[in-house]
Amino acid sequence: MSALTFTLKTQPKQSVDMSPITPDLLADKSLAEIQAIPLQCGNQQLRADALFEITGSDSSQLVIHSSEKLNYLGAKLGLKLKSGNLTIHGNTGAYLGLQMKSGAITLHGNAEAFAACEMAGGLLHVHGNVGDFLGGALPGNRKGMRGGTVIITGNAGDRAGDQMRRGMILIEGNVGSYCASRMLAGTIGVMGKMGVYLGFGMRRGTLLLFNSPALSPTIQDCGSHTLPFLKLMFKSMRGLPSKFAQLENNRVRRFAGDAAVDGKGEILVFGE
Amino acid sequence: MNINGVEIDDTFAEAFNMRGTRVIITAQNLKWAYHAANAMTGFATSVIGCGVEAGIERELNSDETPDARPGVAILMFAMGSAVLMKQLETRMGQCILTCPTAAAFSGIEGDKETVTPINLGKNLRFFGDGFQISKQFGGKRYWRVPVMDGEFLTEETTGMVRAIGGGNFLILATSQPQALAAAEAAIEAMKKIPNVIMPFPGGVVRSGSKVGSKYKTMFASTNDAFCPTLKGITNTELSPEIESVMEIVIDGLTETDIRKATKVGITAACELGAANGIKRISAGNYGGKLGQFQFHLREIMSEITA
């Protein structure tokens, strides 16, 4: 069985809500039914086959050739089936992997804001860059990502991990400003450079850094330490398709804060 | 039945349902893992006075432990789950939390029907006074408690299973040194068997007991039938040439584990044979009325094990 593949016929003029197109929702549907799925495009509804060339049949291995006009790709993935893979070629819009629960999303391209928003489980692997509020909460909500693993091979925008509650975000490139702002718990790793206001309002959680950060006065130096728990963390990363899987050295400099919010979060910097 | 001149009695060991758990203790090196494990399994020879029976099961290489440091696995047994949980928590707090560089991890995992999660470091975290940090890896929760040597790392829970305690056998010899030498040989061999511990000092107990006493306050007293110095004035089990008896008590996770350990232990003792003064192997029981399990010596010794 070949993968069920959606290929854009033409670039849509308005943004499309792609949340009905996931392995969960397409399971047990015939090709005709899939072709007839209504998709919200701007202020009108279009049939799926009006936007996409649809080929193949295996909906558990979904492939989408996308553009930045497609939002909510992979939303709530794995909520029902507890599995399913979504592979995306090209750029995507906002809310990639919104509230996904299990399974895997692989993006070969860039995503816009709110990728992994309120994600609960599974693996989101982006071979490219993502916009602001990676792993954040829906506007107005108080808790962001609460489980699963996010790997970004490129860069992330501002507010990465904002209000993050649990899970792991691994960024191999750079991040913008306010990384780990208002973070509640979980782990964020950044291999590249950071913007300003790192850990602003951070309450708990761990930030792993490979470059010296510029820190606000409310985040305090606790000195260099060899931390045994990092060995467990590295072990849990071993199987991941990321540079983070090769970490060995558990010697870090520890910063704690944000004291302005009585925070017990930690920023661990390797190589210091 | 006679092995190498040693008579195997047609009797059985009587054993009981218990609850058991395993904890993996790691440290900077084996020396400190043993310091932690010895403290944790200290004063844990018999449930009668200690609450639990505990011992070191085996050494672990750094590639066998969760945090890639050398360690030891310990087993702990109690008559009920409440006692086991209480003792585990107390001993964790006084022996592992306190021991330099030591960390503790779950040693038993499995499905919900057979393995019950019990607190390992769950409540010790409060020692951190608000500075404790929880981390989850691979679906398991760990606690990092700041202490003066750095951080105390512990898994939140370990697993409790149904287990068996009180498997045993007796070594009867013509002298005390010979009886002890045979017991030592048996223990050396039995240490290699997984899932069992021999909780008494050095694995051997000399004060086997019978139920009841002439004193009203005592519910157990010396097993006079096996005391060599009472041969003439009591209803003895000993023939004239027996001068010393040593007992080995075995606690294990399953019936099969205890059977294996019994067989290996008796075999090692019998290898010394009649030539070294080992005359008889017997076992302790209460007439089969108290325990849920019976380990018949002859049956075990004639089993063909892989």
Side-chain angles (χ1 to χ4, degrees), chain B residues 45-85:
Chain B
T45 55
S46 165
V47 288
I48 296 168
C50 311
V52 287
E53 297 178 5
I56 291 173
E57 183 192 18
R58 69 184 186 101
E59 247 173 61
L60 300 166
N61 295 327
S62 50
D63 54 359
E64 294 174 286
T65 60
D67 63 350
R69 299 192 300 173
V72 293
I74 66 155
L75 289 172
M76 198 179 272
F77 299 85
M79 295 309 285
S81 51
V83 189
L84 187 64
M85 288 190 266

Side-chain angles (χ1 to χ4, degrees), chain B residues 112-174:
Chain B
K112 278 180 192 163
E113 276 107 66
T114 51
V115 181
T116 314
I118 56 171
N119 295 351
L120 186 64
K122 192 175 182 180
N123 290 327
L124 288 183
R125 73 176 193 258
F126 295 113
F127 185 75
D129 199 25
F131 294 103
Q132 69 272 24
I133 296 174
S134 150
K135 281 291 185 200
Q136 273 189 322
F137 304 119
K140 294 181 185 175
R141 185 183 291 279
Y142 300 88
W143 285 99
R144 298 161 55 196
V145 182
V147 283
M148 295 194 321
D149 84 335
E151 269 185 349
F152 165 53
L153 177 63
T154 174
E155 200 166 330
E156 181 166 80
T157 60
T158 184
M160 177 174 66
V161 292
R162 289 190 178 278
I164 303 165
N168 68 76
F169 62 91
L170 304 169
I171 300 167
L172 289 70
T174 51

